[in-house]
């Protein structure tokens, strides 16, 4: 082969945006154009073809491009041919670095057909290349700004703009920007929440699903040919359920019907690495799609995860009081311990800090004593709330509704003030553009933003108006906290689900006294205030005293002292 013959690589690139513009930039058309040119050049032989399909020109970390550079460094290629300069790259600084420094260092000839650039000839001067590179870069920036604006507008309207719907959902057949329930994986999601509320750890839930042969989210999507993220840690053919996957589902508010978007994003159009955005920038849309789990079950599962949910070795479920029992002296979580005596097992709770670490709290408390005392305290509290609910309904139940309606009215007035301000800004946009204060692009961007804000506020006002109407009709959701307790009327036995639903914490104050704090303290105090009864610090705390005669051994090996069990429930 003569020295005047160039060993050329045909480089072809297509981005998703280009694909929407028409057929001119398609891979096949680029290939035909390059082949036609090479056929007329006797001094050029095509020895390689590299194709980056669906890759942005702003970045140079492209698979086929890096393969081509490796061949250049190995001396296998000394000529690169592209359709035009934008196919090679759109980032003008990096493009200039390759054309002015790297290619000349390796004695590589560069040809861009449509731009009439050939580094072997005089028509590839720095000015021409520089101007064309800047234009290509500006084009990418313009596309990025328009795309971001369009996506933000859709998010403001509650449209789903993600590429891959989460496990349990699919794109709606009627509206591609809305999520619809995918019934089979949705049933698995419901099972996951049920098992968590019933006391299973995340690892045990994952093991249970794997033992049943349930496909993991990634495996399910691959099996059904659904869109799924590529290149992640779970993008493997044998992906299984894991504790991490379970936690992600349990923490995803999307399953309650609330769409949250914009949690991650790129800094600008030249940097493709994503970063976490502050919560204030997230886009939240309530009731954007059908819920798979109720908000109550979602909150309950989240509450359970904040507690200590460790299980015994080989155990499937957490203990009844795990994460709820607090030492009244040091505030630490108390630990369960098992003692065996004369073939029987006895269960105790104790503070692991101990006197050596400065804790002078209670020693050992029997689990059965705790169960009996907490059960009686809960029953008494539920009965008290049921009585309070009846009194409010008969005597002065309208006070709560009127107070809530007044609060909602204030929120409506505030939203209406914001709406009037935005309407004023919106009406002055065109005048500002004509006077030269705004560019045309700024006018379009601000107009879309104000339109989205206006729609959001109108929807919020409508929702608040409906809630105010419901409050005056006595149907407000916020006045139904009592039903949370009343559904446990007739309670005769404690289980883990009941405990996490009713009890916030149990503080062991001494050998004979404990304090049970229930949920909805603020609502309880407000209900008392409506009756003219000032709320005390312990109005929402069930206090109990419990000791019990027992033949099981104490922790020093001796029998427990004789005592009589009593109960006092406030």
């Amino acid at each position: 082969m003569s020295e005047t013959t160039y060993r050329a690589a045909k480089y072809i690139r297509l981005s998703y945006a280009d694909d929407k513009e028409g057929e001119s930039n398609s891979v096949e058309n680029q290939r035909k154009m390059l082949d036609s040119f090479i056929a007329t050049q006797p001094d050029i032989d095509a020895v390689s073809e590299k194709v980056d399909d669906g890759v942005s020109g702003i970045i140079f970390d492209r698979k086929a491009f890096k393969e081509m550079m490796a061949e250049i460094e190995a001396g296998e290629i000394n000529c690169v041919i592209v359709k035009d300069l934008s196919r090679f790259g759109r980032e003008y600084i990096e493009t200039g670095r390759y054309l002015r420094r790297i290619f000349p260092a390796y004695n590589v000839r560069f040809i861009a057909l449509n731009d009439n650039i050939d580094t072997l000839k005089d028509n590839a001067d720095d000015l021409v290349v520089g101007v064309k590179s800047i234009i290509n870069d500006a084009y990418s920036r313009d596309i990025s700004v328009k795309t971001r604006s369009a996506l933000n507008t859709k998010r403001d309207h509650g449209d789903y703009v993600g590429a891959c719907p989460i496990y349990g959902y699919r794109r709606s057949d009627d509206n591609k920007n809305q999520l619809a329930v995918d019934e089979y994986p949705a049933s698995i999601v419901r099972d996951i929440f049920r098992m968590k509320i019933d006391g299973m750890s995340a690892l045990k839930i994952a093991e249970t699903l794997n033992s049943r042969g349930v496909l993991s989210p990634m495996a399910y999507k691959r099996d059904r040919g659904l869109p799924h993220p590529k290149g992640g840690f779970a993008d493997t053919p044998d992906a299984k359920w894991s504790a991490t996957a379970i936690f992600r589902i349990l923490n995803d508010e999307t399953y309650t019907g609330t769409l949250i978007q914009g949690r991650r994003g790129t800094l600008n159009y030249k940097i493709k690495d994503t970063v976490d955005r502050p919560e204030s920038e997230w886009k939240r849309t309530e009731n954007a799609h059908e819920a798979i789990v109720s908000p109550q079950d979602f909150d309950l599962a989240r509450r359970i995860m904040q507690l200590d949910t460790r299980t015994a070795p080989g155990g499937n479920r957490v203990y009844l009081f795990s994460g709820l029992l607090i030492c009244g002296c040091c505030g630490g979580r108390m630990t369960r311990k098992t003692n065996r005596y004369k073939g029987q097992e006895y269960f105790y709770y104790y503070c692991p800090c101990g006197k050596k670490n400065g804790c002078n709290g209670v020693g050992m408390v029997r689990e059965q004593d705790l169960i009996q005392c907490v059960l009686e305290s809960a029953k008494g509290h539920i009965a008290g709330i049921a009585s309070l609910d009846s009194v409010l309904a008969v005597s002065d139940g309208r006070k709560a509704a009127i107070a809530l309606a007044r609060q909602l009215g204030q929120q409506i007035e505030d939203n209406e003030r914001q709406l009037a301000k935005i309407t004023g800004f919106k009406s002055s946009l065109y005048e500002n553009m004509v006077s030269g204060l705004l560019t045309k692009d700024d006018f379009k961007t601000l107009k879309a933003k104000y339109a989205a804000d206006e729609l959001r506020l109108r929807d919020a006002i409508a929702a608040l108006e409906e809630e105010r109407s419901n409050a005056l009709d006595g149907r407000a959701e916020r006045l139904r906290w009592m039903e949370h307790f009343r559904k446990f009327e007739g309670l005769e036995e404690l289980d883990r689900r009941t405990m996490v639903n009713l009890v916030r914490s149990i503080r062991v104050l001494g050998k004979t006294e404990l304090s049970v704090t229930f949920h909805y303290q603020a609502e309880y105090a407000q209900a008392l205030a409506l009756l003219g009864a000032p709320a005390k610090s312990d109005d929402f705390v069930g206090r109990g005293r419990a000791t019990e005669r027992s033949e099981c051994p104490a922790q020093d090996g001796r029998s427990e002292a004789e005592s009589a069990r009593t109960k006092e429930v406030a």
Side-chain angles (χ1 to χ4, degrees):
M1 183 178 294
S2 67
E3 293 181 357
T4 57
T5 301
Y6 288 91
R7 302 179 301 280
K10 297 181 293 181
Y11 181 70
I12 300 170
R13 185 187 64 80
L14 182 72
S15 66
Y16 294 114
D18 294 328
D19 188 44
K20 296 176 183 178
E21 292 174 1
E23 189 180 12
S24 61
N25 284 342
S26 70
V27 170
E28 186 59 32
N29 275 11
Q30 290 185 55
R31 181 180 293 113
K32 289 179 180 178
M33 178 178 288
L34 300 183
D35 288 340
S36 297
F37 172 77
I38 293 173
T40 64
Q41 305 296 315
D43 60 335
I44 298 177
D45 287 337
V47 298
S48 178
E49 178 182 288
K50 303 299 179 183
V51 180
D52 278 314
D53 196 358
V55 183
S56 171
I58 284 294
I59 60 174
F60 281 78
D61 186 19
R62 317 172 205 147
K63 181 180 178 181
F65 182 84
K66 291 193 292 186
E67 291 175 355
M68 181 181 71
M69 290 304 302
E71 293 179 0
I72 290 174
E73 293 169 1
E76 300 172 7
I77 294 172
N78 61 0
C79 181
V80 174
I81 306 175
V82 295
K83 176 190 172 185
D84 55 50
L85 193 58
S86 68
R87 299 304 92 201
F88 182 76
R90 291 192 181 274
E91 209 285 316
Y92 75 95
I93 295 178
E94 196 70 5
T95 299
R97 189 172 73 90
Y98 274 95
L99 297 187
R100 296 187 182 94
R101 298 182 60 183
I102 297 178
F103 284 178
Y106 287 100
N107 198 25
V108 173
R109 179 183 179 185
F110 178 79
I111 302 173
L113 301 182
N114 284 353
D115 292 323
N116 195 29
I117 295 175
D118 187 344
T119 56
L120 187 65
K121 303 176 182 179
D122 294 335
N123 57 1
D125 61 89
D126 287 348
L127 180 60
V128 172
V129 173
V131 170
K132 289 182 179 293
S133 297
I134 291 175
I135 292 174
N136 289 331
D137 193 310
Y139 173 81
S140 293
R141 180 185 179 280
D142 185 57
I143 290 294
S144 174
V145 170
K146 291 179 179 178
T147 302
R148 285 172 182 261
S149 176
L151 291 177
N152 284 333
T153 300
K154 284 189 172 184
R155 293 189 186 105
D156 289 335
H157 290 160
D159 292 339
Y160 176 75
V161 298
C164 308
I166 66 169
Y167 183 72
Y169 286 101
R170 55 176 175 80
R171 290 187 184 275
S172 172
D173 295 332
D174 300 326
N175 182 1
K176 67 177 182 179
N177 290 319
Q178 186 175 30
L179 295 177
V181 174
D182 191 354
E183 197 50 49
Y184 170 71
S187 66
I188 303 300
V189 171
R190 296 187 190 100
D191 285 344
I192 290 172
F193 276 89
R194 177 184 55 78
M195 287 187 282
K196 186 60 184 176
I197 292 173
D198 286 343
M200 277 194 183
S201 66
L203 180 60
K204 186 61 183 179
I205 294 173
E207 292 174 349
T208 300
L209 294 176
N210 286 328
S211 66
R212 294 177 183 174
V214 178
L215 294 176
S216 68
M218 182 63 70
Y220 173 81
K221 291 180 178 182
R222 292 168 66 98
D223 182 69
R224 299 296 196 277
L226 300 174
H228 59 277
K230 295 178 174 61
F233 72 96
D235 187 18
T236 57
D238 58 345
K240 301 292 184 182
W241 284 98
S242 64
T244 300
I246 299 299
F247 279 127
R248 285 181 174 175
I249 289 177
L250 293 173
N251 283 298
D252 198 331
E253 202 173 347
T254 306
Y255 293 113
T256 66
T258 299
L259 184 61
I260 303 178
Q261 301 185 99
R263 284 182 277 199
R264 293 178 61 80
T266 57
L267 295 176
N268 57 53
Y269 70 104
K270 293 187 178 182
I271 301 176
K272 298 305 177 183
D273 294 334
T274 57
V275 296
D276 293 327
R277 289 174 174 162
E279 191 170 346
S280 59
E281 296 181 8
W282 295 358
K283 303 292 185 180
R284 293 176 59 92
T285 306
E286 306 286 344
N287 301 317
H289 50 264
E290 182 182 351
I292 292 179
V293 298
S294 68
Q296 293 78 13
D297 282 348
F298 179 80
D299 292 339
L300 181 57
R302 292 280 295 271
R303 196 184 310 146
I304 291 172
M305 287 189 289
Q306 294 173 359
L307 302 175
D308 176 15
T309 55
R310 291 172 295 176
T311 61
N316 295 337
R317 302 179 186 276
V318 297
Y319 297 126
L320 183 65
F321 296 109
S322 291
L324 298 173
L325 212 57
I326 300 173
C327 174
C329 177
C330 68
R333 302 287 179 178
M334 300 186 71
T335 302
R336 190 175 190 262
K337 185 174 183 179
T338 303
N339 263 11
R340 293 173 177 81
Y341 180 71
K342 294 183 178 180
Q344 294 195 24
E345 290 185 336
Y346 300 91
F347 306 107
Y348 297 84
Y349 281 89
Y350 72 100
C351 178
C353 292
K355 294 183 178 180
K356 292 183 179 179
N357 295 313
C359 179
N360 296 315
V362 63
M364 295 285 180
V365 181
R366 285 189 61 182
E367 183 180 60
Q368 193 59 38
D369 293 346
L370 289 170
I371 291 174
Q372 291 299 320
C373 189
V374 173
L375 176 60
E376 294 300 322
S377 182
K379 289 167 66 176
H381 191 71
I382 293 169
I385 287 178
S387 176
L388 177 63
D389 190 16
S390 300
V391 173
L392 285 172
V394 173
S395 63
D396 212 1
R398 292 284 295 175
K399 286 185 179 180
I402 293 172
L404 177 58
R406 187 180 300 113
Q407 178 186 351
L408 292 172
Q410 293 173 351
Q411 295 178 12
I412 291 172
E413 290 177 2
D414 184 66
N415 283 351
E416 287 176 341
R417 282 193 295 270
Q418 294 183 50
L419 181 60
K421 186 184 298 184
I422 288 174
T423 303
F425 290 153
K426 186 179 176 183
S427 62
S428 64
L429 284 178
Y430 182 76
E431 181 181 345
N432 290 336
M433 183 186 69
V434 172
S435 62
L437 294 176
L438 292 176
T439 65
K440 188 175 181 179
D441 287 341
D442 290 338
F443 169 78
K444 291 180 179 179
T445 301
L446 289 173
K447 183 180 178 181
K449 179 182 182 300
Y450 287 144
D453 290 341
E454 189 176 36
L455 179 63
R456 174 180 57 80
L457 286 171
R458 292 189 186 279
D459 290 343
I461 291 172
L464 289 170
E465 289 281 8
E466 182 180 1
E467 189 173 357
R468 180 168 64 175
S469 176
N470 290 341
L472 293 174
D473 291 342
R475 294 181 283 114
E477 190 67 25
R478 299 184 192 182
L479 302 179
R480 296 306 180 190
W481 67 271
M482 293 181 180
E483 295 179 3
H484 179 81
F485 285 92
R486 294 200 65 167
K487 67 183 179 182
F488 290 97
E489 285 186 286
L491 178 68
E492 294 297 336
E493 184 179 357
L494 291 178
D495 56 25
R496 181 66 181 177
R497 179 187 285 261
T498 303
M499 287 296 300
V500 295
N501 262 288
L502 299 181
V503 177
R504 185 180 298 275
S505 66
I506 304 169
R507 186 173 294 272
V508 180
L509 304 174
K511 266 287 188 182
T512 61
E513 186 178 11
L514 58 87
S515 172
V516 183
T517 304
F518 297 94
H519 292 297
Y520 295 102
Q521 298 184 44
E523 290 82 353
Y524 183 78
Q526 184 181 15
L528 289 177
L530 288 173
L531 294 178
K536 304 174 185 178
S537 61
D538 60 349
D539 272 336
F540 218 78
V541 176
R543 293 187 177 274
R545 298 168 60 87
T547 61
E548 184 171 13
R549 180 183 179 88
S550 174
E551 295 299 329
C552 68
Q555 296 313 299
D556 57 3
R558 296 169 297 177
S559 297
E560 291 185 358
E562 176 180 305
S563 59
R565 178 165 62 97
T566 63
K567 298 275 190 248
E568 290 182 8
V569 179

